Amino acid sequence: METQQPPGQWDVPPPPAKPPRAVTDVELRVHKRLLWVGTAAYPLRNIARVYTFTLHPKRKEAAFRFLTRALITLAVGIGLSIIGSLTFIDGRSTGTGVLTFVWLVAGAALIYFFVDMLSVVTAQSHYVLAVETAGPSTAMVTSPNPQHLDQLVGYVAGALENPDTEFQVTVERLTINSPTNYHFGDSVNMYGGSGNTGIST
């Protein structure tokens, strides 16, 4: 890992040591006045802010959303049951089949909503480094070592002051299935591909 900086400029802290490589690793580097996060490139002149924060799942909101969905599902199921029982008074077998179908669908919906809630409630918080640009994009990466990310903030800030500086470190790709399930602190615009996988690159 090489660090180049013009003489006479303010000292940039040395880059943190690379963590062990893993399947989710991604390279974060500054080269030729571009910040590369994996395969995404950000011109240094367009970077508005670099900072770290803890990304928390919206656990309370997920529980409230489940309760709301469950109540609506039960209300619809009860309503359809009442309508069905009044409509099929003469044809009891037909009415029973319709009611069974209604409650099977309602049960499946409740199971789906419960699993959706559990995916948020059991999700981990992540300490992340965010790079905001003057446009709508924000890149985020994470690391099991918070100090590693805090050091990177200083290092990227140093590269902003000294555009000829170059460095390369390894961080981790953050994969979030649904960014709406997380508190981002400040207003953060996300980008990503299908299913928002690789949101941190």
Side-chain angles (χ1 to χ4, degrees):
M1 179 181 349
E2 294 184 0
T3 301
Q4 301 171 359
Q5 62 186 53
Q9 298 290 334
W10 67 287
D11 292 333
V12 177
K18 287 186 178 182
R21 291 193 63 81
V23 176
T24 58
D25 283 358
V26 64
E27 297 297 327
L28 185 146
R29 63 190 170 97
V30 170
H31 180 66
K32 294 184 178 179
R33 303 190 179 193
L34 289 174
L35 171 65
W36 289 87
V37 185
T39 56
Y42 302 87
L44 290 177
R45 66 180 180 275
N46 288 348
I47 294 176
R49 182 166 67 145
V50 181
Y51 61 104
T52 55
F53 69 100
T54 303
L55 190 65
H56 296 289
K58 295 180 178 179
R59 296 185 177 95
K60 291 181 181 178
E61 289 86 343
F64 180 76
R65 185 168 60 243
F66 168 73
L67 290 176
T68 303
R69 289 172 168 178
L71 289 174
I72 291 172
T73 302
L74 291 174
V76 170
I78 291 170
L80 290 176
S81 296
I82 293 172
I83 293 172
S85 64
L86 294 175
T87 304
F88 299 105
I89 291 176
D90 294 333
R92 292 185 180 274
S93 60
T94 305
T96 303
V98 171
L99 292 179
T100 301
F101 175 76
V102 166
W103 285 107
L104 283 175
V105 171
L110 288 173
I111 292 172
Y112 173 80
F113 297 147
F114 183 73
V115 171
D116 182 58
M117 178 194 69
L118 280 184
S119 68
V120 179
V121 171
T122 59
Q124 294 181 345
S125 296
H126 299 279
Y127 192 70
V128 299
L129 179 146
V131 179
E132 290 183 5
T133 67
S137 295
T138 296
M140 289 197 307
V141 293
T142 187
S143 171
N145 182 0
Q147 289 75 27
H148 180 69
L149 296 180
D150 291 335
Q151 287 176 319
L152 277 178
V153 171
Y155 209 64
V156 173
L160 296 178
E161 290 290 327
N162 303 288
D164 293 328
T165 299
E166 297 190 358
F167 72 90
Q168 179 175 333
V169 293
T170 302
V171 287
E172 292 185 5
R173 184 186 311 271
L174 181 62
T175 302
I176 297 175
N177 292 330
S178 177
T180 58
N181 289 333
Y182 282 84
H183 291 287
F184 290 97
D186 294 341
S187 177
V188 175
N189 296 311
M190 308 301 294
Y191 77 93
S194 175
N196 293 302
T197 299
I199 224 165
S200 56
T201 60

